Amino acid sequence: MNGLSLEHIDKKYGDHVIFSFEKWSLDHGIYWVKGGNGTGKTTLFKVISGQTPFGGELSLNGVSLKKAPVAYRSMISYAEAEPQYPSFITGNELLNYHIAVRKAEHSEAQDIVEQFGMTAFMDHKIGSYSSGMLKKLSLICAFTGNIQLYILDEPLITIDTHAAQVLYALIRSYHEKGSSFLLSSHQELEPGQLPLKGVFQIKDKQIEAC
């Protein structure tokens, strides 16, 4: 990834300003945005992933979200903190959709399914999934395809210790292949698991290094 660039960013809901800052730039690496609930982490990630309107300019590898939204979004994979999917489709149907859209290799996706221990459940309706299974499914879909920037919002909540180790290993592997990551978490990441390039927090409507 050449770089993520945010300039003159303003985001508000009504009269309530979530954040307002002049510039924030990141190059290739793994970055952690920490902080408690309500600090604006999810809103920031939704802005960067193109999920919510904002004021300012945002680009990835020189591609502007506002000028070339399809090209921009094709480089990003966003996994929500609390994923919601149609309850009447199966895990495989959702995964196959991601495989088709991203022109991904089916075998690679199935390998990730196996790593998360979800093989036996992929033909079940999503409505029958526990919160932990739902989170694993969202991460499986997120890691499907060749993506430049992975945005993972609270990826460690509701998953077990084994799944957390799988997640850490996937992040390290994809990072070594050239992808970058933005992670949020209100809890501490396990020490030594990830080669973090930067840690940030949203404070007083600004993004600052910790």
Side-chain angles (χ1 to χ4, degrees):
M1 187 180 84
N2 295 326
L4 176 70
S5 177
L6 293 81
E7 297 185 353
H8 310 295
I9 300 297
D10 289 293
K11 177 60 184 176
K12 62 177 65 175
Y13 292 112
D15 294 329
H16 178 57
V17 178
I18 307 300
F19 44 74
S20 178
F21 56 88
E22 289 299 311
K23 188 174 180 62
W24 189 44
S25 299
L26 304 174
D27 55 11
H28 176 252
I30 301 173
Y31 300 90
W32 175 24
V33 180
K34 62 189 302 186
N37 295 331
T39 57
K41 302 187 306 296
T42 294
T43 300
L44 176 65
F45 283 7
K46 286 186 175 181
V47 164
I48 296 173
S49 61
Q51 301 292 316
T52 188
F54 64 96
E57 296 297 329
L58 174 56
S59 65
L60 177 62
N61 298 345
V63 178
S64 167
L65 169 58
K66 292 186 175 180
K67 294 178 182 178
V70 175
Y72 176 93
R73 291 189 178 97
S74 70
M75 295 187 289
I76 287 181
S77 183
Y78 173 51
E80 296 184 273
E82 298 179 359
Q84 296 182 350
Y85 303 119
S87 61
F88 54 85
I89 65 174
T90 68
N92 269 329
E93 287 172 335
L94 181 67
L95 178 57
N96 288 335
Y97 169 78
H98 282 79
I99 291 172
V101 169
R102 296 179 178 173
K103 299 179 174 59
E105 292 293 332
H106 193 274
S107 59
E108 293 181 3
Q110 288 304 314
D111 178 61
I112 299 173
V113 170
E114 292 176 7
Q115 289 185 58
F116 276 110
M118 285 287 289
T119 304
F121 308 102
M122 294 301 288
D123 280 328
H124 295 185
K125 300 290 186 182
I126 291 177
S128 69
Y129 282 15
S130 67
S131 59
M133 292 166 62
L134 193 61
K135 190 69 173 185
K136 290 178 185 179
L137 178 63
S138 74
L139 292 170
I140 291 165
C141 292
F143 278 98
T144 297
N146 182 21
I147 301 297
Q148 296 297 306
L149 175 62
Y150 293 86
I151 303 175
L152 309 180
D153 192 4
E154 298 286 357
L156 294 170
I157 59 172
T158 72
I159 61 173
D160 54 35
T161 301
H162 171 73
Q165 295 305 310
V166 171
L167 174 62
Y168 284 132
L170 285 170
I171 293 173
R172 292 193 301 267
S173 175
Y174 280 52
H175 174 248
E176 290 171 359
K177 295 175 183 178
S179 297
S180 289
F181 286 84
L182 268 177
L183 313 172
S184 79
S185 179
H186 64 272
Q187 62 195 69
E188 294 295 319
L189 301 178
E190 190 172 332
Q193 286 286 359
L194 299 175
L196 294 173
K197 194 166 187 177
V199 180
F200 299 90
Q201 64 180 353
I202 301 174
K203 186 177 181 179
D204 298 327
K205 302 178 179 58
Q206 304 286 315
I207 297 180
E208 59 181 38
C210 297

Short mmCIF file of all heavy atoms in Angstrom, two decimals, residues 92-152:
data_model
loop_
_atom_site.label_atom_id
_atom_site.label_comp_id
_atom_site.label_asym_id
_atom_site.label_seq_id
_atom_site.Cartn_x
_atom_site.Cartn_y
_atom_site.Cartn_z
N ASN A 92 -22.07 -20.21 3.70
CA ASN A 92 -21.45 -20.42 2.40
C ASN A 92 -22.00 -19.49 1.34
O ASN A 92 -21.26 -19.03 0.45
CB ASN A 92 -21.64 -21.88 1.95
CG ASN A 92 -20.48 -22.76 2.40
OD1 ASN A 92 -19.34 -22.31 2.51
ND2 ASN A 92 -20.78 -24.04 2.64
N GLU A 93 -23.28 -19.19 1.40
CA GLU A 93 -23.87 -18.28 0.43
C GLU A 93 -23.26 -16.88 0.57
O GLU A 93 -22.96 -16.22 -0.44
CB GLU A 93 -25.39 -18.23 0.60
CG GLU A 93 -26.08 -19.49 0.10
CD GLU A 93 -27.55 -19.54 0.45
OE1 GLU A 93 -27.97 -18.91 1.44
OE2 GLU A 93 -28.31 -20.24 -0.28
N LEU A 94 -23.06 -16.44 1.80
CA LEU A 94 -22.43 -15.14 2.02
C LEU A 94 -20.98 -15.17 1.55
O LEU A 94 -20.52 -14.24 0.87
CB LEU A 94 -22.50 -14.77 3.50
CG LEU A 94 -21.88 -13.41 3.85
CD1 LEU A 94 -22.69 -12.27 3.23
CD2 LEU A 94 -21.78 -13.23 5.36
N LEU A 95 -20.26 -16.22 1.90
CA LEU A 95 -18.86 -16.33 1.51
C LEU A 95 -18.72 -16.40 -0.01
O LEU A 95 -17.84 -15.74 -0.59
CB LEU A 95 -18.23 -17.56 2.15
CG LEU A 95 -16.76 -17.83 1.79
CD1 LEU A 95 -15.88 -16.64 2.13
CD2 LEU A 95 -16.27 -19.09 2.50
N ASN A 96 -19.57 -17.18 -0.67
CA ASN A 96 -19.49 -17.29 -2.12
C ASN A 96 -19.75 -15.95 -2.81
O ASN A 96 -19.19 -15.67 -3.89
CB ASN A 96 -20.48 -18.35 -2.63
CG ASN A 96 -20.04 -19.75 -2.29
OD1 ASN A 96 -18.84 -20.01 -2.11
ND2 ASN A 96 -20.98 -20.68 -2.19
N TYR A 97 -20.60 -15.13 -2.20
CA TYR A 97 -20.83 -13.78 -2.73
C TYR A 97 -19.53 -12.98 -2.68
O TYR A 97 -19.16 -12.33 -3.67
CB TYR A 97 -21.91 -13.09 -1.92
CG TYR A 97 -22.03 -11.61 -2.21
CD1 TYR A 97 -22.67 -11.15 -3.35
CD2 TYR A 97 -21.48 -10.66 -1.34
CE1 TYR A 97 -22.76 -9.79 -3.63
CE2 TYR A 97 -21.57 -9.31 -1.60
CZ TYR A 97 -22.21 -8.88 -2.74
OH TYR A 97 -22.29 -7.53 -3.02
N HIS A 98 -18.82 -13.03 -1.57
CA HIS A 98 -17.56 -12.30 -1.45
C HIS A 98 -16.51 -12.85 -2.43
O HIS A 98 -15.75 -12.09 -3.03
CB HIS A 98 -17.02 -12.40 -0.02
CG HIS A 98 -17.70 -11.48 0.94
ND1 HIS A 98 -18.94 -11.74 1.49
CD2 HIS A 98 -17.33 -10.28 1.46
CE1 HIS A 98 -19.29 -10.76 2.29
NE2 HIS A 98 -18.33 -9.86 2.29
N ILE A 99 -16.48 -14.15 -2.58
CA ILE A 99 -15.54 -14.77 -3.52
C ILE A 99 -15.80 -14.28 -4.94
O ILE A 99 -14.88 -13.93 -5.67
CB ILE A 99 -15.64 -16.31 -3.45
CG1 ILE A 99 -15.10 -16.82 -2.11
CG2 ILE A 99 -14.88 -16.96 -4.60
CD1 ILE A 99 -15.33 -18.31 -1.88
N ALA A 100 -17.08 -14.22 -5.32
CA ALA A 100 -17.43 -13.79 -6.67
C ALA A 100 -17.11 -12.32 -6.90
O ALA A 100 -16.53 -11.95 -7.93
CB ALA A 100 -18.92 -14.06 -6.93
N VAL A 101 -17.49 -11.48 -5.95
CA VAL A 101 -17.28 -10.04 -6.11
C VAL A 101 -15.80 -9.70 -6.16
O VAL A 101 -15.37 -8.85 -6.96
CB VAL A 101 -17.98 -9.27 -4.96
CG1 VAL A 101 -17.54 -7.81 -4.95
CG2 VAL A 101 -19.49 -9.37 -5.10
N ARG A 102 -15.01 -10.37 -5.33
CA ARG A 102 -13.59 -10.05 -5.24
C ARG A 102 -12.72 -10.93 -6.14
O ARG A 102 -11.50 -10.81 -6.13
CB ARG A 102 -13.13 -10.18 -3.79
CG ARG A 102 -13.80 -9.16 -2.88
CD ARG A 102 -13.37 -9.31 -1.45
NE ARG A 102 -14.00 -8.29 -0.60
CZ ARG A 102 -13.91 -8.27 0.72
NH1 ARG A 102 -13.22 -9.23 1.36
NH2 ARG A 102 -14.50 -7.31 1.42
N LYS A 103 -13.37 -11.81 -6.90
CA LYS A 103 -12.64 -12.71 -7.81
C LYS A 103 -11.54 -13.45 -7.07
O LYS A 103 -10.39 -13.54 -7.52
CB LYS A 103 -12.07 -11.92 -9.00
CG LYS A 103 -13.15 -11.24 -9.86
CD LYS A 103 -12.54 -10.46 -11.01
CE LYS A 103 -13.60 -9.90 -11.94
NZ LYS A 103 -14.54 -8.99 -11.26
N ALA A 104 -11.91 -13.98 -5.92
CA ALA A 104 -10.96 -14.67 -5.05
C ALA A 104 -10.89 -16.16 -5.37
O ALA A 104 -11.78 -16.71 -6.03
CB ALA A 104 -11.36 -14.47 -3.60
N GLU A 105 -9.85 -16.79 -4.86
CA GLU A 105 -9.70 -18.23 -5.03
C GLU A 105 -10.53 -18.95 -3.97
O GLU A 105 -10.41 -18.69 -2.78
CB GLU A 105 -8.22 -18.62 -4.86
CG GLU A 105 -7.32 -18.11 -5.97
CD GLU A 105 -7.62 -18.78 -7.31
OE1 GLU A 105 -8.11 -19.94 -7.29
OE2 GLU A 105 -7.36 -18.16 -8.35
N HIS A 106 -11.38 -19.86 -4.43
CA HIS A 106 -12.26 -20.59 -3.51
C HIS A 106 -11.45 -21.41 -2.51
O HIS A 106 -11.80 -21.50 -1.33
CB HIS A 106 -13.20 -21.50 -4.30
CG HIS A 106 -14.34 -22.04 -3.50
ND1 HIS A 106 -14.25 -23.20 -2.74
CD2 HIS A 106 -15.60 -21.57 -3.30
CE1 HIS A 106 -15.39 -23.43 -2.15
NE2 HIS A 106 -16.24 -22.46 -2.46
N SER A 107 -10.35 -22.00 -2.97
CA SER A 107 -9.53 -22.84 -2.09
C SER A 107 -8.91 -22.03 -0.95
O SER A 107 -8.81 -22.52 0.18
CB SER A 107 -8.42 -23.53 -2.89
OG SER A 107 -7.58 -22.57 -3.52
N GLU A 108 -8.51 -20.80 -1.24
CA GLU A 108 -7.92 -19.95 -0.19
C GLU A 108 -8.97 -19.58 0.85
O GLU A 108 -8.68 -19.56 2.06
CB GLU A 108 -7.31 -18.70 -0.82
CG GLU A 108 -6.09 -18.98 -1.68
CD GLU A 108 -5.50 -17.72 -2.28
OE1 GLU A 108 -6.02 -16.61 -1.96
OE2 GLU A 108 -4.52 -17.82 -3.02
N ALA A 109 -10.18 -19.29 0.39
CA ALA A 109 -11.26 -18.96 1.32
C ALA A 109 -11.59 -20.16 2.21
O ALA A 109 -11.79 -20.02 3.42
CB ALA A 109 -12.50 -18.51 0.55
N GLN A 110 -11.63 -21.34 1.62
CA GLN A 110 -11.94 -22.54 2.39
C GLN A 110 -10.84 -22.84 3.42
O GLN A 110 -11.12 -23.38 4.50
CB GLN A 110 -12.14 -23.75 1.47
CG GLN A 110 -13.42 -23.71 0.68
CD GLN A 110 -14.65 -23.58 1.56
OE1 GLN A 110 -14.78 -24.28 2.57
NE2 GLN A 110 -15.57 -22.69 1.20
N ASP A 111 -9.62 -22.50 3.09
CA ASP A 111 -8.52 -22.69 4.04
C ASP A 111 -8.74 -21.82 5.28
O ASP A 111 -8.51 -22.26 6.42
CB ASP A 111 -7.18 -22.34 3.39
CG ASP A 111 -6.02 -22.48 4.36
OD1 ASP A 111 -5.79 -23.60 4.85
OD2 ASP A 111 -5.34 -21.46 4.63
N ILE A 112 -9.21 -20.59 5.08
CA ILE A 112 -9.48 -19.70 6.21
C ILE A 112 -10.66 -20.23 7.02
O ILE A 112 -10.66 -20.17 8.25
CB ILE A 112 -9.75 -18.27 5.71
CG1 ILE A 112 -8.53 -17.72 4.98
CG2 ILE A 112 -10.10 -17.35 6.88
CD1 ILE A 112 -8.76 -16.39 4.31
N VAL A 113 -11.68 -20.77 6.33
CA VAL A 113 -12.82 -21.38 7.02
C VAL A 113 -12.34 -22.48 7.96
O VAL A 113 -12.75 -22.55 9.13
CB VAL A 113 -13.83 -21.95 6.00
CG1 VAL A 113 -14.88 -22.80 6.71
CG2 VAL A 113 -14.51 -20.83 5.22
N GLU A 114 -11.45 -23.33 7.45
CA GLU A 114 -10.93 -24.44 8.26
C GLU A 114 -10.11 -23.93 9.44
O GLU A 114 -10.21 -24.46 10.55
CB GLU A 114 -10.08 -25.36 7.38
CG GLU A 114 -10.89 -26.12 6.34
CD GLU A 114 -10.01 -26.94 5.41
OE1 GLU A 114 -8.80 -27.03 5.66
OE2 GLU A 114 -10.55 -27.49 4.43
N GLN A 115 -9.32 -22.90 9.21
CA GLN A 115 -8.50 -22.36 10.30
C GLN A 115 -9.37 -21.85 11.45
O GLN A 115 -9.01 -22.01 12.62
CB GLN A 115 -7.61 -21.23 9.78
CG GLN A 115 -6.48 -21.68 8.87
CD GLN A 115 -5.56 -20.52 8.50
OE1 GLN A 115 -4.99 -19.86 9.37
NE2 GLN A 115 -5.41 -20.26 7.20
N PHE A 116 -10.49 -21.25 11.12
CA PHE A 116 -11.40 -20.74 12.16
C PHE A 116 -12.34 -21.81 12.71
O PHE A 116 -13.17 -21.52 13.58
CB PHE A 116 -12.23 -19.57 11.62
CG PHE A 116 -11.53 -18.23 11.70
CD1 PHE A 116 -11.11 -17.60 10.54
CD2 PHE A 116 -11.30 -17.63 12.92
CE1 PHE A 116 -10.48 -16.36 10.61
CE2 PHE A 116 -10.67 -16.39 13.00
CZ PHE A 116 -10.25 -15.75 11.84
N GLY A 117 -12.23 -23.04 12.21
CA GLY A 117 -13.06 -24.13 12.71
C GLY A 117 -14.52 -23.99 12.36
O GLY A 117 -15.41 -24.42 13.12
N MET A 118 -14.81 -23.42 11.18
CA MET A 118 -16.20 -23.14 10.79
C MET A 118 -16.73 -24.06 9.70
O MET A 118 -17.87 -23.90 9.27
CB MET A 118 -16.30 -21.69 10.34
CG MET A 118 -16.26 -20.67 11.46
SD MET A 118 -17.80 -20.64 12.42
CE MET A 118 -18.93 -19.89 11.24
N THR A 119 -15.95 -25.02 9.26
CA THR A 119 -16.34 -25.86 8.13
C THR A 119 -17.70 -26.53 8.33
O THR A 119 -18.55 -26.55 7.43
CB THR A 119 -15.28 -26.95 7.88
OG1 THR A 119 -14.01 -26.33 7.67
CG2 THR A 119 -15.63 -27.77 6.65
N ALA A 120 -17.94 -27.07 9.51
CA ALA A 120 -19.18 -27.82 9.77
C ALA A 120 -20.42 -26.93 9.83
O ALA A 120 -21.55 -27.44 9.82
CB ALA A 120 -19.04 -28.60 11.07
N PHE A 121 -20.22 -25.61 9.90
CA PHE A 121 -21.35 -24.71 10.10
C PHE A 121 -21.68 -23.84 8.88
O PHE A 121 -22.67 -23.10 8.90
CB PHE A 121 -21.07 -23.79 11.29
CG PHE A 121 -20.66 -24.51 12.54
CD1 PHE A 121 -19.33 -24.56 12.93
CD2 PHE A 121 -21.61 -25.17 13.32
CE1 PHE A 121 -18.95 -25.24 14.07
CE2 PHE A 121 -21.24 -25.85 14.46
CZ PHE A 121 -19.90 -25.89 14.85
N MET A 122 -20.88 -23.94 7.83
CA MET A 122 -21.03 -23.01 6.71
C MET A 122 -22.30 -23.22 5.90
O MET A 122 -22.76 -22.31 5.21
CB MET A 122 -19.80 -23.06 5.80
CG MET A 122 -18.52 -22.54 6.46
SD MET A 122 -18.64 -20.82 7.00
CE MET A 122 -18.62 -19.98 5.42
N ASP A 123 -22.89 -24.42 5.98
CA ASP A 123 -24.15 -24.66 5.27
C ASP A 123 -25.36 -24.40 6.16
O ASP A 123 -26.51 -24.62 5.73
CB ASP A 123 -24.19 -26.10 4.74
CG ASP A 123 -23.40 -26.25 3.45
OD1 ASP A 123 -23.36 -25.27 2.67
OD2 ASP A 123 -22.81 -27.32 3.23
N HIS A 124 -25.13 -23.93 7.37
CA HIS A 124 -26.24 -23.60 8.27
C HIS A 124 -26.71 -22.17 8.01
O HIS A 124 -25.94 -21.31 7.57
CB HIS A 124 -25.79 -23.71 9.74
CG HIS A 124 -25.43 -25.11 10.15
ND1 HIS A 124 -25.10 -25.44 11.45
CD2 HIS A 124 -25.34 -26.26 9.44
CE1 HIS A 124 -24.83 -26.72 11.53
NE2 HIS A 124 -24.97 -27.25 10.32
N LYS A 125 -27.96 -21.90 8.32
CA LYS A 125 -28.49 -20.55 8.20
C LYS A 125 -27.80 -19.63 9.20
O LYS A 125 -27.55 -20.03 10.35
CB LYS A 125 -30.00 -20.53 8.46
CG LYS A 125 -30.81 -21.41 7.51
CD LYS A 125 -30.86 -20.85 6.09
CE LYS A 125 -31.80 -21.66 5.22
NZ LYS A 125 -31.82 -21.18 3.82
N ILE A 126 -27.49 -18.43 8.77
CA ILE A 126 -26.79 -17.48 9.64
C ILE A 126 -27.62 -17.16 10.89
O ILE A 126 -27.06 -16.88 11.96
CB ILE A 126 -26.43 -16.20 8.86
CG1 ILE A 126 -25.35 -16.52 7.82
CG2 ILE A 126 -25.96 -15.09 9.78
CD1 ILE A 126 -24.97 -15.36 6.93
N GLY A 127 -28.93 -17.24 10.77
CA GLY A 127 -29.79 -16.99 11.91
C GLY A 127 -29.56 -17.94 13.08
O GLY A 127 -29.94 -17.64 14.21
N SER A 128 -28.94 -19.09 12.82
CA SER A 128 -28.67 -20.07 13.88
C SER A 128 -27.29 -19.87 14.52
O SER A 128 -26.94 -20.57 15.46
CB SER A 128 -28.75 -21.49 13.30
OG SER A 128 -27.66 -21.74 12.41
N TYR A 129 -26.52 -18.90 14.03
CA TYR A 129 -25.15 -18.70 14.51
C TYR A 129 -25.14 -18.01 15.88
O TYR A 129 -25.94 -17.11 16.15
CB TYR A 129 -24.36 -17.83 13.54
CG TYR A 129 -23.85 -18.53 12.30
CD1 TYR A 129 -24.34 -19.76 11.91
CD2 TYR A 129 -22.87 -17.95 11.50
CE1 TYR A 129 -23.89 -20.39 10.77
CE2 TYR A 129 -22.39 -18.57 10.36
CZ TYR A 129 -22.90 -19.79 9.99
OH TYR A 129 -22.45 -20.42 8.87
N SER A 130 -24.18 -18.39 16.70
CA SER A 130 -23.91 -17.66 17.93
C SER A 130 -23.15 -16.39 17.59
O SER A 130 -22.70 -16.20 16.45
CB SER A 130 -23.06 -18.52 18.87
OG SER A 130 -21.75 -18.73 18.32
N SER A 131 -22.98 -15.50 18.56
CA SER A 131 -22.26 -14.26 18.30
C SER A 131 -20.81 -14.54 17.91
O SER A 131 -20.24 -13.86 17.04
CB SER A 131 -22.30 -13.34 19.53
OG SER A 131 -21.74 -13.99 20.66
N GLY A 132 -20.19 -15.55 18.52
CA GLY A 132 -18.83 -15.91 18.17
C GLY A 132 -18.71 -16.44 16.76
O GLY A 132 -17.77 -16.10 16.02
N MET A 133 -19.65 -17.28 16.35
CA MET A 133 -19.65 -17.82 14.98
C MET A 133 -19.88 -16.71 13.97
O MET A 133 -19.26 -16.69 12.89
CB MET A 133 -20.72 -18.90 14.86
CG MET A 133 -20.43 -20.15 15.66
SD MET A 133 -21.89 -21.22 15.82
CE MET A 133 -22.21 -21.63 14.11
N LEU A 134 -20.76 -15.78 14.31
CA LEU A 134 -21.04 -14.65 13.42
C LEU A 134 -19.79 -13.80 13.22
O LEU A 134 -19.49 -13.36 12.11
CB LEU A 134 -22.18 -13.82 14.00
CG LEU A 134 -22.83 -12.78 13.09
CD1 LEU A 134 -23.45 -13.45 11.87
CD2 LEU A 134 -23.89 -12.00 13.87
N LYS A 135 -19.05 -13.60 14.31
CA LYS A 135 -17.82 -12.82 14.22
C LYS A 135 -16.79 -13.55 13.36
O LYS A 135 -16.10 -12.92 12.53
CB LYS A 135 -17.25 -12.59 15.62
CG LYS A 135 -16.11 -11.60 15.67
CD LYS A 135 -16.58 -10.20 15.36
CE LYS A 135 -15.47 -9.19 15.58
NZ LYS A 135 -15.95 -7.81 15.40
N LYS A 136 -16.66 -14.84 13.53
CA LYS A 136 -15.72 -15.62 12.72
C LYS A 136 -16.10 -15.54 11.24
O LYS A 136 -15.22 -15.39 10.38
CB LYS A 136 -15.69 -17.07 13.17
CG LYS A 136 -15.06 -17.29 14.53
CD LYS A 136 -15.13 -18.77 14.92
CE LYS A 136 -14.62 -19.00 16.32
NZ LYS A 136 -14.72 -20.43 16.73
N LEU A 137 -17.39 -15.63 10.93
CA LEU A 137 -17.84 -15.54 9.55
C LEU A 137 -17.47 -14.18 8.95
O LEU A 137 -17.02 -14.10 7.80
CB LEU A 137 -19.35 -15.76 9.47
CG LEU A 137 -19.96 -15.65 8.07
CD1 LEU A 137 -19.40 -16.72 7.13
CD2 LEU A 137 -21.49 -15.75 8.15
N SER A 138 -17.65 -13.12 9.73
CA SER A 138 -17.32 -11.79 9.22
C SER A 138 -15.83 -11.67 8.93
O SER A 138 -15.42 -11.03 7.95
CB SER A 138 -17.76 -10.72 10.22
OG SER A 138 -16.92 -10.66 11.35
N LEU A 139 -15.00 -12.29 9.76
CA LEU A 139 -13.55 -12.24 9.55
C LEU A 139 -13.15 -13.10 8.34
O LEU A 139 -12.27 -12.72 7.56
CB LEU A 139 -12.81 -12.72 10.80
CG LEU A 139 -12.93 -11.78 12.02
CD1 LEU A 139 -12.37 -12.46 13.27
CD2 LEU A 139 -12.21 -10.47 11.75
N ILE A 140 -13.80 -14.25 8.17
CA ILE A 140 -13.54 -15.09 7.00
C ILE A 140 -13.83 -14.31 5.72
O ILE A 140 -13.03 -14.29 4.78
CB ILE A 140 -14.40 -16.37 7.05
CG1 ILE A 140 -13.92 -17.29 8.19
CG2 ILE A 140 -14.37 -17.11 5.71
CD1 ILE A 140 -14.91 -18.39 8.54
N CYS A 141 -14.98 -13.64 5.69
CA CYS A 141 -15.34 -12.84 4.51
C CYS A 141 -14.38 -11.67 4.32
O CYS A 141 -14.02 -11.33 3.19
CB CYS A 141 -16.78 -12.34 4.64
SG CYS A 141 -18.03 -13.64 4.54
N ALA A 142 -13.97 -11.07 5.42
CA ALA A 142 -13.06 -9.92 5.34
C ALA A 142 -11.73 -10.31 4.71
O ALA A 142 -11.15 -9.55 3.93
CB ALA A 142 -12.84 -9.33 6.72
N PHE A 143 -11.23 -11.49 5.04
CA PHE A 143 -9.92 -11.92 4.55
C PHE A 143 -9.98 -12.58 3.17
O PHE A 143 -8.96 -13.03 2.66
CB PHE A 143 -9.27 -12.87 5.55
CG PHE A 143 -8.59 -12.18 6.69
CD1 PHE A 143 -9.23 -12.03 7.91
CD2 PHE A 143 -7.31 -11.66 6.54
CE1 PHE A 143 -8.61 -11.38 8.97
CE2 PHE A 143 -6.68 -11.00 7.58
CZ PHE A 143 -7.33 -10.86 8.80
N THR A 144 -11.15 -12.63 2.58
CA THR A 144 -11.30 -13.23 1.26
C THR A 144 -10.93 -12.23 0.17
O THR A 144 -11.50 -11.14 0.11
CB THR A 144 -12.75 -13.71 1.04
OG1 THR A 144 -13.05 -14.74 1.99
CG2 THR A 144 -12.94 -14.27 -0.37
N GLY A 145 -9.97 -12.59 -0.66
CA GLY A 145 -9.58 -11.73 -1.78
C GLY A 145 -8.27 -10.99 -1.52
O GLY A 145 -7.75 -10.96 -0.41
N ASN A 146 -7.75 -10.38 -2.58
CA ASN A 146 -6.50 -9.63 -2.52
C ASN A 146 -6.82 -8.16 -2.26
O ASN A 146 -7.20 -7.43 -3.16
CB ASN A 146 -5.74 -9.79 -3.83
CG ASN A 146 -4.40 -9.08 -3.82
OD1 ASN A 146 -3.85 -8.80 -2.75
ND2 ASN A 146 -3.89 -8.77 -4.98
N ILE A 147 -6.66 -7.75 -1.02
CA ILE A 147 -7.08 -6.42 -0.58
C ILE A 147 -5.87 -5.61 -0.13
O ILE A 147 -4.93 -6.14 0.47
CB ILE A 147 -8.10 -6.54 0.57
CG1 ILE A 147 -9.33 -7.33 0.12
CG2 ILE A 147 -8.51 -5.17 1.09
CD1 ILE A 147 -10.11 -6.70 -1.00
N GLN A 148 -5.91 -4.31 -0.38
CA GLN A 148 -4.80 -3.44 0.02
C GLN A 148 -4.89 -3.02 1.49
O GLN A 148 -3.88 -2.98 2.19
CB GLN A 148 -4.78 -2.18 -0.86
CG GLN A 148 -4.53 -2.46 -2.32
CD GLN A 148 -3.16 -3.07 -2.56
OE1 GLN A 148 -2.16 -2.52 -2.13
NE2 GLN A 148 -3.13 -4.20 -3.23
N LEU A 149 -6.10 -2.70 1.95
CA LEU A 149 -6.27 -2.23 3.32
C LEU A 149 -7.42 -2.97 3.99
O LEU A 149 -8.56 -2.92 3.52
CB LEU A 149 -6.55 -0.72 3.32
CG LEU A 149 -6.87 -0.09 4.69
CD1 LEU A 149 -5.69 -0.24 5.65
CD2 LEU A 149 -7.24 1.38 4.52
N TYR A 150 -7.10 -3.65 5.09
CA TYR A 150 -8.11 -4.34 5.89
C TYR A 150 -8.43 -3.48 7.11
O TYR A 150 -7.54 -3.08 7.85
CB TYR A 150 -7.59 -5.71 6.35
CG TYR A 150 -7.39 -6.68 5.23
CD1 TYR A 150 -6.19 -6.71 4.52
CD2 TYR A 150 -8.39 -7.58 4.87
CE1 TYR A 150 -6.00 -7.61 3.47
CE2 TYR A 150 -8.20 -8.48 3.82
CZ TYR A 150 -7.00 -8.49 3.14
OH TYR A 150 -6.81 -9.37 2.11
N ILE A 151 -9.73 -3.21 7.30
CA ILE A 151 -10.19 -2.42 8.42
C ILE A 151 -11.02 -3.34 9.31
O ILE A 151 -12.09 -3.78 8.93
CB ILE A 151 -11.03 -1.21 7.96
CG1 ILE A 151 -10.21 -0.34 7.00
CG2 ILE A 151 -11.50 -0.40 9.14
CD1 ILE A 151 -11.00 0.82 6.41
N LEU A 152 -10.49 -3.63 10.49
CA LEU A 152 -11.13 -4.58 11.39
C LEU A 152 -11.53 -3.86 12.67
O LEU A 152 -10.68 -3.47 13.47
CB LEU A 152 -10.18 -5.74 11.71
CG LEU A 152 -9.52 -6.44 10.51
CD1 LEU A 152 -8.61 -7.57 10.99
CD2 LEU A 152 -10.57 -6.97 9.54
#
